[in-house]
Amino acid sequence: MVWEDRPLLRALKVTKYFGKRVGCCDVSFDLWPGEVLGIVGESGSGKTTLLQCLSGHWVPSSGRVYYGEGTNGLADIYELPEPRRRYLMRTEWGFVHQNPREGLRLRVSAGANVGERLMALGFRHYGGIRADVLNWFHRVEIDRDRVDDFPTTFSGGMLQRLQIARNLITKPRLTFMDEPTGGLDVSVQARLLDLLKGLVSELSLSVVIVTHDLAVVRLIAHRLLVMQQGKVVESGLTDQVLDDPQHPYTQLLVSSVIQA
Amino acid sequence: MKKGFKTEIKIDEASSPRLNGYNFAYLDEGTKRMIRRALLKAIAIPGYQVSFGSREMPLPYGWGTGGIQVTASLIGPDDTLKVIDQGSDDTTNAVSIRRFFTLTTGVKTTEKTSVATLIQTRHRIPETPLRPGQIIVYQVPIPEPLRFLEPRETETRRMHALSEYGIMSIKLYEDISIHGRIATAYNYPVLVNERYVMSPSPIPKFDNPKMDRNPALQLFGAGREKRIYAVPPYTRVKSLDFEDYPFRVERGEQSCALCGSRESFLDEIITDDRGTRLFACSDTDYCQRRHTEGQRGSFSGMPLLAAKRLQREA
């Protein structure tokens, strides 16, 4: 494994206002290659706003987001030319939506959904694309004979796995996940997390994962940010934050989990 | 002519079959200038969709309102107009549009591709090769080739601007995965001048190669969608494909029953309710010319007029 001496993603005082309302405020952190960063907090605490700012979708009101791009060192993603930013978004980055229907094209087949990023990159060999797609169906544990079915015929868990395959097929360096296990039943959640954990270590993915589910970050995240009312109130290694919470809000969050 | 109407074009009122009370070619001169400006921009940027202030025309959307407006803004008293619908000069759409221009301009009309200076077409390119100086105007229902995958106009415009055309292959991918080959047979997307992906209008893909480096000026008008685009003469037009599934023109084994052509695009005509059928050129002018040259197909015993009537009724 090659150790890199610079972070992959650096957030510097990222702040987003919606009029007078605060989305997120003064969020700073570094994400290193191969690292999984969890962002937890209650509903409305600014997790998704932060994720949208980090992933190039919403321009922050102030603050900067840097991305370790190529050999050029860290570049402010909002100062990159738009074609370049959009290119990064569909090659080196992935975005897994909470609702897989937002991240998929429902009117084309599952296989075309997974192959889309390859075609967007300029691959024009059907046989090659098809083989790669089938390989990814296998990796995310979807039957290969479902490759030509429409996503609308898939179950919720399968859709989420399909969305993950669609994002990971170009081997992105950085993946953003917004509640990837939300809305799935517990056993499906467990299998999906297992799958994600495997893929993360296999591809040495860097991930920013937003969730309100502490069990999810316990399993998958190396480091945690705890957010409340748009601000980061606590950060640290996952086990440290969850086992020895310092901030009153984190203590409340940890103690609210029902022990099964 | 009413007072207040200004016509810049002088024509001989007495000998013309033209209707009184309308400006030459129906549209007012201001509208024509606006459309010509859009056309010039479209020609300057091959394949780029230029928006224009499409007018209400005296026929419904989907019947060629875009094509008619383009033709009306270009036609002059010296032009010879040909109008075809699915290759044929005598189907309803072609007949009414030709009549419209006869009434509003009084220009000469023709069925001969070689004689026409201006050709308005729906869904075909004539078999007879076009020559330099000719203009062909296509009627276009949906000008946006990316619409199938991206419903947002703001997004498709951005995709065109940034040449993000990777997803165009999705439709071809779907074809191969379902049918084992690229089954798209008409409205087959093309790349113009190695820059813009363009919808060729619903012409059969049989006609796609004719667009490539064609000596005539090709103009496209979409009235409902308010878009004009163009392919200037001798411009490269490439049909999209995959490396291992290259673009291929498909044509059946049949020959034209009337003129025996094995090269032309054929219509299938059902002749009774017991499954009998015959195939005939969709381009009636091409077929008739071959017929007068003495070429005959399997149906040569049948008088040409009767055969053409069959074709018309089909």
Side-chain angles (χ1 to χ4, degrees):
Chain A
M1 186 166 184
V2 183
W3 292 102
E4 296 187 39
D5 57 356
R6 59 155 197 231
L8 189 63
L9 186 76
R10 166 172 288 170
L12 214 60
K13 292 184 174 299
V14 173
T15 304
K16 177 77 181 173
Y17 286 101
F18 300 99
K20 283 182 181 171
R21 309 254 175 266
V22 180
C24 60
C25 187
D26 271 349
V27 180
S28 300
F29 67 86
D30 281 351
L31 180 77
W32 293 82
E35 189 177 36
V36 180
L37 178 72
I39 301 176
V40 294
E42 64 193 351
S43 170
S45 60
K47 306 182 299 271
T48 299
T49 304
L50 176 62
L51 200 70
Q52 295 287 358
C53 288
L54 296 175
S55 59
H57 288 98
W58 293 350
V59 187
S61 312
S62 67
R64 282 160 179 272
V65 182
Y66 296 97
Y67 174 67
E69 185 211 358
T71 52
N72 304 330
L74 289 174
D76 186 330
I77 62 166
Y78 290 102
E79 280 175 7
L80 287 174
E82 193 188 4
R84 178 71 190 154
R85 185 165 68 243
R86 285 171 67 110
Y87 177 80
L88 286 177
M89 283 168 86
R90 63 174 193 266
T91 54
E92 295 191 12
W93 302 350
F95 197 106
V96 177
H97 294 262
Q98 173 173 12
N99 182 350
R101 286 166 189 84
E102 285 172 28
L104 294 167
R105 291 184 197 277
L106 297 181
R107 284 158 58 181
V108 302
S109 72
N113 264 290
V114 176
E116 176 180 334
R117 276 179 157 234
L118 291 179
M119 292 184 253
L121 277 181
F123 284 78
R124 290 290 177 276
H125 192 280
Y126 175 83
I129 294 169
R130 185 80 171 175
D132 224 2
V133 166
L134 287 171
N135 177 26
W136 271 95
F137 266 65
H138 178 68
R139 285 177 95 156
V140 298
E141 296 163 20
I142 305 177
D143 267 346
R144 289 182 198 201
D145 60 8
R146 299 295 303 266
V147 68
D148 294 329
D149 293 353
F150 282 86
T152 40
T153 65
F154 281 28
S155 72
M158 282 165 78
L159 281 178
Q160 200 55 281
R161 276 176 279 157
L162 191 66
Q163 196 193 187
I164 288 166
R166 169 183 163 87
N167 273 284
L168 297 189
I169 190 161
T170 52
K171 305 199 170 50
R173 299 168 68 202
L174 177 58
T175 307
F176 301 96
M177 298 186 184
D178 190 1
E179 308 262 13
T181 57
L184 301 177
D185 77 56
V186 186
S187 66
V188 177
Q189 267 190 32
R191 277 182 57 201
L192 189 72
L193 281 174
D194 205 32
L195 172 76
L196 271 180
K197 208 172 148 77
L199 289 172
V200 162
S201 64
E202 199 179 323
L203 303 170
S204 61
L205 276 181
S206 302
V207 181
V208 180
I209 183 167
V210 158
T211 179
H212 57 258
D213 189 341
L214 293 183
V216 169
V217 285
R218 170 81 86 177
L219 262 173
I220 197 167
H222 303 131
R223 258 191 326 135
L224 274 193
L225 299 181
V226 183
M227 289 187 73
Q228 187 195 18
Q229 294 179 352
K231 291 201 168 72
V232 174
V233 294
E234 189 163 355
S235 64
L237 298 175
T238 304
D239 290 343
Q240 175 198 333
V241 173
L242 293 184
D243 295 339
D244 183 18
Q246 301 294 311
H247 191 273
Y249 174 70
T250 319
Q251 291 169 352
L252 179 75
L253 201 66
V254 172
S255 64
S256 318
V257 176
I258 301 159
Q259 300 297 326
Chain B
M1 179 166 288
K2 264 194 211 162
K3 221 180 152 189
F5 268 91
K6 276 187 198 157
T7 315
E8 291 170 350
I9 300 155
K10 295 271 174 289
I11 55 164
D12 182 6
E13 298 280 342
S15 68
S16 161
R18 195 153 87 82
L19 281 177
N20 281 329
Y22 288 98
N23 191 26
F24 183 81
Y26 186 78
L27 291 175
D28 63 275
E29 295 302 315
T31 300
K32 288 194 209 167
R33 268 198 291 275
M34 175 269 293
I35 295 173
R36 285 182 208 134
R37 275 197 293 271
L39 285 168
L40 284 175
K41 181 172 178 181
I43 294 163
I45 318 172
Y48 173 75
Q49 298 168 49
V50 182
S51 41
F52 77 110
S54 178
R55 300 292 192 252
E56 285 286 330
M57 296 302 281
L59 77 167
Y61 283 135
W63 287 41
T65 52
I68 277 201
Q69 289 179 76
V70 171
T71 304
S73 67
L74 292 174
I75 198 165
D78 301 331
D79 270 314
T80 307
L81 179 72
K82 172 182 164 81
V83 185
I84 50 173
D85 171 11
Q86 305 270 16
S88 170
D89 288 279
D90 47 13
T91 45
T92 315
N93 197 259
V95 169
S96 3
I97 292 175
R98 192 187 313 120
R99 187 163 165 272
F100 172 83
F101 281 112
T102 308
L103 288 176
T104 57
T105 67
V107 302
K108 288 197 293 286
T109 59
T110 181
E111 296 195 355
K112 290 196 173 67
T113 304
S114 50
V115 173
T117 56
L118 193 56
I119 302 169
Q120 180 169 333
T121 176
R122 172 176 174 267
H123 302 188
R124 269 315 302 281
I125 300 176
E127 305 287 353
T128 314
L130 302 177
R131 56 180 164 75
Q134 283 182 316
I135 299 177
I136 181 164
V137 177
Y138 298 77
Q139 301 170 198
V140 182
I142 298 169
E144 180 51 74
L146 300 165
R147 186 63 73 234
F148 165 77
L149 293 152
E150 181 50 67
R152 288 168 297 177
E153 178 69 15
T154 48
E155 187 64 15
T156 52
R157 297 207 125 203
R158 187 148 295 193
M159 290 160 82
H160 281 296
L162 303 176
S163 303
E164 285 182 7
Y165 291 136
I167 63 163
M168 270 318 286
S169 310
I170 291 181
K171 187 164 161 42
L172 305 180
Y173 169 96
E174 291 271 270
D175 267 3
I176 301 172
S177 65
I178 294 165
H179 304 289
R181 65 192 171 88
I182 299 179
T184 303
Y186 70 99
N187 210 347
Y188 191 107
V190 293
L191 183 69
V192 179
N193 201 24
E194 287 160 31
R195 176 58 182 85
Y196 283 100
V197 165
M198 184 188 93
S199 158
S201 87
I203 59 169
K205 75 170 163 186
F206 176 87
D207 283 344
N208 269 24
K210 294 181 192 161
M211 305 184 88
D212 186 28
R213 282 173 272 212
N214 195 308
L217 171 62
Q218 306 177 65
L219 303 172
F220 300 77
R224 177 178 44 207
E225 305 286 326
K226 302 176 172 54
R227 293 288 183 277
I228 281 173
Y229 50 101
V231 175
Y234 305 108
T235 305
R236 183 110 171 74
V237 177
K238 185 186 178 298
S239 305
L240 302 181
D241 58 4
F242 281 110
E243 286 160 15
D244 45 348
Y245 287 85
F247 174 81
R248 202 167 282 140
V249 164
E250 286 157 6
R251 192 185 179 282
E253 289 299 300
Q254 292 82 6
S255 60
C256 173
L258 304 179
C259 75
S261 172
R262 293 190 170 276
E263 286 85 44
S264 67
F265 188 77
L266 301 179
D267 282 341
E268 184 184 12
I269 301 162
I270 311 286
T271 49
D272 58 26
D273 55 2
R274 296 185 303 277
T276 320
R277 65 190 65 185
L278 67 81
F279 292 90
C281 296
S282 103
D283 186 336
T284 47
D285 165 54
Y286 172 84
C287 195
Q288 199 153 14
R289 198 193 47 162
R290 280 176 55 88
H291 209 267
T292 45
E293 282 167 4
Q295 310 273 4
R296 291 292 183 274
S298 57
F299 233 74
S300 55
M302 190 188 222
L304 181 66
L305 272 178
K308 279 193 73 174
R309 198 172 67 230
L310 266 177
Q311 193 174 353
R312 207 158 46 235
E313 282 162 2

